[in-house]
Amino acid sequence: MLRVYASHTSCGGLSHIRRKAPVPRLRRWMSVRPEQQHKTPDARKKVTIAELQKMRDAGTPISMLTTYDYPSARALSANPQIDIAFVGDSLAQVCLGHTSTTELTLDEMIHHTRAVRRGTKHPLLLADMPFGSYNVSAEDTLRNAVRLVQQGGAEAVKMEGGVELAGVVRRLGTIGIPVMAHIGLMPQRCNASGFRVQGRDAESARGVLADALALEDAGAFAVVLEAIPHKLGEYITNRLRIPTIGIGAGNMTSGQVLVWDDMMGTWAGHKAKFVRRFADVKTERDAGVQRYAAAVRDRSFPSATESYAMDDAEWNKFLRHEEK
Ligand code: KIV
């Protein structure tokens, strides 16, 4: 118990005595208290890039999932089989209501990455570089990546682009910022190329492979392959020495990634072919909102057991005082 000792002086000749008067502890009830941080029994050591490489070499599939806030980061960290917690720029649409990832700012990304940081334990914390934060001058790119690491707490960054990004990947590598590249369908370029499956003809498949090889050569620690034929996903995976993380690239890539809201089923927007709903949170969530609203309307919420009681004697004392 917290005790605060107050010193009193009295006029009865005892002014030299310092009496210890315990002050009653202040008690507060909050509906939102910080959760107890329990260690999971099978808590896992922090995932490193070297460990991801080992997983790839051993043929153990890497599991990466997006996360945008503290609660989802806690959920990922509660599962030792999640390897990478990824603050994707899909944040723009699924959390912030933008219509495209191109609207997301670096400040917004940093704000969410900080929240994820607070909830992330063992998974490697990866964050997307938003559109316009790296396809700019070399100094600005470095400064922005450093902000994402320093202020956001990211342990690695991801960026979309092929061969043309090799120089940036190399530069970031020299200052110790690991880069995961992202090729194939690049949502940040949707204004130019739409949301189309890539690498479907021989020439375009050669282009995706060339991008992957150039990025590996530049020092990327992994490559996301989005929306390409599964045969090409497998082929590129076998050609590279670094891990490939697929999203719509078949099941033979070194790992998989999905958007939280897609796989949880909270997202009512477009569902891509490669999305599997692993839960139906939207139905349950909407039903919860409906039950709450109805209970407020018919006054069945809160019930007596959900309300605080007061001693009758105290209540009557209160009323008598009011009547005076
Ligand atoms: O921002 C994102 O969600 C992505 C996907 C690859 C998962 O980049």
Side-chain angles (χ1 to χ4, degrees), residues 252-263:
M252 293 310 286
T253 50
S254 321
Q256 297 292 331
V257 58
L258 275 182
V259 168
W260 171 274
D261 297 83
D262 280 339
M263 76 96 198

Side-chain angles (χ1 to χ4, degrees), residues 1-318:
M1 172 161 128
L2 176 72
R3 282 167 186 268
V4 177
Y5 296 106
S7 77
H8 298 265
T9 50
S10 77
C11 53
L14 298 171
S15 58
H16 60 286
I17 299 176
R18 289 162 70 85
R19 285 190 294 157
K20 290 176 179 171
V23 173
R25 181 168 55 177
L26 277 177
R27 303 178 83 184
R28 293 179 63 202
W29 279 266
M30 299 191 292
S31 65
V32 183
R33 295 186 203 192
E35 263 181 278
Q36 297 284 333
Q37 304 272 337
H38 290 307
K39 262 212 165 138
T40 45
D42 43 4
R44 181 173 164 191
K45 279 214 304 218
K46 188 78 187 160
V47 175
T48 60
I49 285 166
E51 186 182 348
L52 295 173
Q53 183 65 48
K54 275 192 198 142
M55 290 177 73
R56 180 249 168 229
D57 296 345
T60 309
I62 296 167
S63 93
M64 165 168 151
L65 191 54
T66 68
T67 161
Y68 313 104
D69 54 17
Y70 177 77
S72 58
R74 291 288 313 268
L76 265 54
S77 290
N79 189 320
Q81 295 201 81
I82 293 291
D83 307 301
I84 305 176
F86 168 47
V87 192
D89 62 359
S90 44
L91 163 68
Q93 295 104 312
V94 300
C95 282
L96 302 180
H98 294 309
T99 54
S100 157
T101 56
T102 55
E103 293 170 50
L104 187 75
T105 67
L106 181 61
D107 285 337
E108 287 171 330
M109 178 50 88
I110 289 172
H111 176 83
H112 282 261
T113 306
R114 285 169 74 84
V116 168
R117 166 81 281 168
R118 291 190 281 270
T120 298
K121 300 274 185 267
H122 72 271
L124 180 87
L125 176 48
L126 173 75
D128 243 339
M129 298 271 302
F131 174 76
S133 68
Y134 59 98
N135 2 38
V136 286
S137 73
E139 301 79 64
D140 283 347
T141 300
L142 284 191
R143 193 171 309 116
N144 292 337
V146 167
R147 278 191 69 201
L148 204 44
V149 169
Q150 226 164 34
Q151 298 171 18
E155 290 154 350
V157 301
K158 176 169 92 52
M159 51 183 70
E160 296 179 14
V163 148
E164 73 286 357
L165 223 59
V168 174
V169 173
R170 213 167 257 122
R171 265 195 302 281
L172 290 179
T174 61
I175 62 163
I177 300 183
V179 178
M180 180 183 286
H182 179 154
I183 57 175
L185 193 161
M186 294 178 252
Q188 291 183 5
R189 298 185 188 186
C190 65
N191 291 333
S193 49
F195 290 98
R196 271 203 306 273
V197 178
Q198 304 291 305
R200 269 195 149 152
D201 57 70
E203 189 189 338
S204 136
R206 271 202 307 276
V208 182
L209 174 64
D211 283 339
L213 291 168
L215 291 159
E216 173 179 80
D217 190 53
F221 76 90
V223 184
V224 166
L225 302 174
E226 177 161 356
I228 60 169
H230 64 90
K231 284 181 187 158
L232 183 59
E234 183 173 2
Y235 186 83
I236 294 177
T237 301
N238 291 334
R239 283 291 302 273
L240 298 189
R241 292 179 307 273
I242 56 173
T244 56
I245 307 290
I247 174 162
N251 67 355
M252 293 310 286
T253 50
S254 321
Q256 297 292 331
V257 58
L258 275 182
V259 168
W260 171 274
D261 297 83
D262 280 339
M263 76 96 198
M264 281 294 181
T266 55
W267 178 241
H270 170 72
K271 178 182 167 302
K273 181 181 172 68
F274 55 74
V275 167
R276 186 187 296 179
R277 302 250 194 262
F278 287 86
D280 181 10
V281 171
K282 184 177 182 302
T283 304
E284 187 55 24
R285 180 197 69 191
D286 293 350
V289 172
Q290 172 54 31
R291 285 195 291 268
Y292 168 75
V296 170
R297 281 275 195 275
D298 69 15
R299 292 192 189 282
S300 60
F301 175 79
S303 66
T305 55
E306 288 156 338
S307 305
Y308 296 111
M310 185 172 174
D311 187 68
D312 281 349
E314 285 301 317
W315 180 239
N316 289 333
K317 210 158 114 190
F318 168 76

